[in-house]
């Protein structure tokens, strides 16, 4: 039977794995601590599957499974296109992050990770804090993203912001013929850890920056430090700007927002910006908007934790590696125009071809 036939004929859990191409999914349960977690290992052709752990009060187990499958697949592409020797993985813990995270709960989770012998490496994600990672690290060495005081690489956000900034510049080069952002109008949605650093790069280059955030405090802080124009949350989609940079939530590129956009470029740090990866990628393209794939230009954080995991962490080297995002982004955008496909599809295609080619020759460690 052909693989494609197998995929079509599989239903249920294995059908979902076949459809997205997962290698392994591990369900973790511990009655005394109440731990319920799922570890998704999408692909280890290039190296161990690295991806953070997210804790969320999922309404259903199916919702948690869907999340871990989707997120771990995204990590495979992110690592592959960034040129890292990593596969893609992710973990989700089902539960209330405010009440359930005891020392025993987290250490039990660490033990589950350890049982995979390094096939999966974890890091922080939504609702997981540095202190939680410290407990996990007591039971396994397959954890990264630790604080500087523990020999880790510290906050990855400045590196993520730098890569995103370079992704914006590469997109400007493609669209306007040069990568200067001086006097370009740029709208940044979400000025949290990444958005705040991104604004700093943009202002330094004399871009005209518009910002929005649900936190008035963050907006106030940035307007007091930089020459930026605050706008309200909804107005961000209607601005007549060159670049819209989503740095808050996922799925902000959808049927409702895309028709409102007046920008030439969408390039930001948020994960999963396209509500529908294929349809909304083409919807942007049809409207003449250039889209810099999120998983490529926000890979600075992954570069940071990968370097930490390798040991001998060197911040300068991390920023040097993040610099490659500019060329990769430009290559992807050129490939998309050449092959008349969306930039998202071009990026996935490039990632898949590296997995295929390098995965075949590399000696597994
Ligand atoms: P953060 O929580 O520090 O910042 C997000 C900001 O968005 C917050 O200030 C929040 O108030 C704001 N926000 C939320 N909803 C909003 C809305 N509707 N309108 C406007 N603002 C809103 O998170 P972060 O670490 O800066 O990450 C930002 C995005 O980048 C996330 O999607 C994250 O998954 C992605 N990302 C982050 C990193 C990293 O290194 N931190 C790496 C890769 C991807």
């Amino acid at each position: 039977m052909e693989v494609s036939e197998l995929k079509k004929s599989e239903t249920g859990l294995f059908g979902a794995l076949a459809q997205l191409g997962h290698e392994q999914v591990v369900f973790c349960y511990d009655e005394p601590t109440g731990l319920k977690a799922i570890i998704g290992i999408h692909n280890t052709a290039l190296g161990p599957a690295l991806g953070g752990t997210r804790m969320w009060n999922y309404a259903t187990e199916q919702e948690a499974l869907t999340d871990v499958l989707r997120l771990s697949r995204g990590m495979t592409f992110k690592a592959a296109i960034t040129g890292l020797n990593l596969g893609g993985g992710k973990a989700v813990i089902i539960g209330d992050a405010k009440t359930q995270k005891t020392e025993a709960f987290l250490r039990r989770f660490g033990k589950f990770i350890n049982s995979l012998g390094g096939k999966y490496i974890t890091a922080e994600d939504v609702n997981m804090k540095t202190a939680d990672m410290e407990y996990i690290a007591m039971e396994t060495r397959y954890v990264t993203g630790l604080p500087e005081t523990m020999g880790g690489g510290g906050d990855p956000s400045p590196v993520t912001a730098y890569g995103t900034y370079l992704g914006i510049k590469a997109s400007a080069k493609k669209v306007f013929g040069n990568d200067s952002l001086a006097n370009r109008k740029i709208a940044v949605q979400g000025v949290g850890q990444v958005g705040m650093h991104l604004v700093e790069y943009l202002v330094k280059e004399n871009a005209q920056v518009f910002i929005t955030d649900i936190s008035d405090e963050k907006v106030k802080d940035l307007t007091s430090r930089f020459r930026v124009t605050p706008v309200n949350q909804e107005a961000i989609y209607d601005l007549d700007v060159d670049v819209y940079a989503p740095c808050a939530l996922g799925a902000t590129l959808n049927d409702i927002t895309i028709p409102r956009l007046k920008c030439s470029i969408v390039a930001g740090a948020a994960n999963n910006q396209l509500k529908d990866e294929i349809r909304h990628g083409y919807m942007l393209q049809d409207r003449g908007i250039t889209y810099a794939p999120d998983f490529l230009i926000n890979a600075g954080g992954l570069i940071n934790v990968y370097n930490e995991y390798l040991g001998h962490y060197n911040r300068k080297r991390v920023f040097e590696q993040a610099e490659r995002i500019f060329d990769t982004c430009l290559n992807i955008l050129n490939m998309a125009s050449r092959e008349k496909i969306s930039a998202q599809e071009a990026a996935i295609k490039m990632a898949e071809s590296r997995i295929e080619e390098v995965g075949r020759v590399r000696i597994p460690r």
Side-chain angles (χ1 to χ4, degrees):
M1 194 188 269
E2 293 287 323
V3 174
S4 55
E5 285 173 7
L6 180 73
K7 280 185 188 175
K8 270 186 240 150
S9 68
E10 290 281 0
T11 54
L13 180 53
F14 284 103
L17 304 193
Q19 207 177 20
L20 294 176
H22 283 75
E23 282 179 19
Q24 190 179 1
V25 176
V26 183
F27 291 83
C28 314
Y29 177 61
D30 183 60
E31 200 185 354
T33 58
L35 173 72
K36 284 184 195 160
I38 313 174
I39 301 172
I41 298 174
H42 180 255
N43 188 299
T44 56
L46 296 176
L50 195 157
T53 295
R54 173 171 295 194
M55 183 157 182
W56 199 256
N57 225 340
Y58 292 98
T60 62
E61 289 166 5
Q62 181 60 50
E63 205 182 284
L65 179 64
T66 304
D67 212 24
V68 81
L69 293 183
R70 196 177 51 89
L71 293 166
S72 52
R73 173 177 173 267
M75 292 308 294
T76 296
F77 296 144
K78 188 184 291 217
I81 206 161
T82 310
L84 306 177
N85 293 320
L86 285 178
K90 201 90 183 180
V92 296
I93 299 180
I94 303 168
D96 182 355
K98 287 202 184 89
T99 57
Q100 277 183 270
K101 281 193 294 183
T102 61
E103 176 183 351
F105 181 94
L106 292 161
R107 290 181 72 159
R108 185 66 188 95
F109 180 58
K111 222 168 147 183
F112 275 117
I113 294 171
N114 203 52
S115 72
L116 293 168
K119 199 169 179 187
Y120 169 69
I121 303 163
T122 202
E124 273 180 55
D125 199 79
V126 178
N127 284 331
M128 294 298 282
K129 306 264 172 288
T130 308
D132 304 329
M133 291 297 130
E134 289 182 31
Y135 282 129
I136 291 171
M138 287 175 191
E139 301 302 331
T140 183
R141 62 189 171 92
Y142 305 118
V143 50
T144 182
L146 296 170
E148 281 159 302
T149 47
M150 281 182 76
D155 181 10
S157 310
V159 194
T160 305
Y162 183 57
T164 306
Y165 162 67
L166 295 178
I168 295 176
K169 282 178 80 66
S171 308
K173 181 150 175 82
K174 170 75 180 162
V175 173
F176 307 120
N178 75 69
D179 69 9
S180 167
L181 299 180
N183 300 316
R184 293 273 173 226
K185 292 183 185 159
I186 303 179
V188 181
Q189 179 186 40
V191 286
Q193 292 304 326
V194 179
M196 160 182 90
H197 291 291
L198 175 64
V199 165
E200 203 167 339
Y201 282 115
L202 300 176
V203 168
K204 229 183 239 167
E205 211 181 311
N206 289 323
Q208 211 181 315
V209 181
F210 300 83
I211 61 164
T212 193
D213 200 292
I214 49 171
S215 155
D216 291 339
E217 213 176 296
K218 287 181 185 171
V219 171
K220 224 185 257 168
D221 171 58
L222 270 201
T223 44
S224 72
R225 292 196 287 135
F226 303 109
R227 192 135 59 86
V228 293
T229 310
V231 298
N232 83 38
Q233 276 168 57
E234 270 302 305
I236 200 87
Y237 298 111
D238 304 312
L239 292 179
D240 195 354
V241 290
D242 297 298
V243 183
Y244 160 51
C247 296
L249 314 163
T252 62
L253 299 168
N254 53 49
D255 289 343
I256 296 166
T257 58
I258 294 176
R260 290 167 62 180
L261 297 177
K262 297 188 187 76
C263 56
S264 311
I265 294 167
V266 175
N271 278 314
N272 305 315
Q273 291 165 30
L274 297 163
K275 186 162 186 206
D276 180 319
E277 190 176 73
I278 303 297
R279 199 162 62 79
H280 292 123
Y282 279 102
M283 200 166 161
L284 286 171
Q285 191 174 315
D286 291 346
R287 303 179 84 84
I289 299 173
T290 294
Y291 172 69
D294 50 10
F295 66 84
L296 162 64
I297 74 168
N298 73 13
L302 182 63
I303 295 173
N304 197 62
V305 291
Y306 175 60
N307 273 271
E308 174 185 326
Y309 186 72
L310 291 180
H312 313 293
Y313 179 85
N314 180 323
R315 193 78 164 171
K316 188 164 169 274
R317 165 120 182 96
V318 168
F319 273 85
E320 276 169 10
Q321 277 185 13
E323 236 155 64
R324 296 186 206 145
I325 289 175
F326 181 95
D327 286 342
T328 313
C329 186
L330 198 52
N331 286 342
I332 292 290
L333 297 179
N334 286 332
M335 176 180 168
S337 356
R338 217 173 35 243
E339 298 190 13
K340 299 191 175 32
I341 54 176
S342 74
Q344 181 79 0
E345 280 199 313
I348 292 176
K349 220 171 147 182
M350 194 183 268
E352 282 176 338
S353 84
R354 179 164 179 259
I355 294 166
E356 169 74 23
E357 288 165 21
V358 180
R360 210 181 317 120
V361 298
R362 118 175 218 284
I363 300 168
R365 274 170 239 282

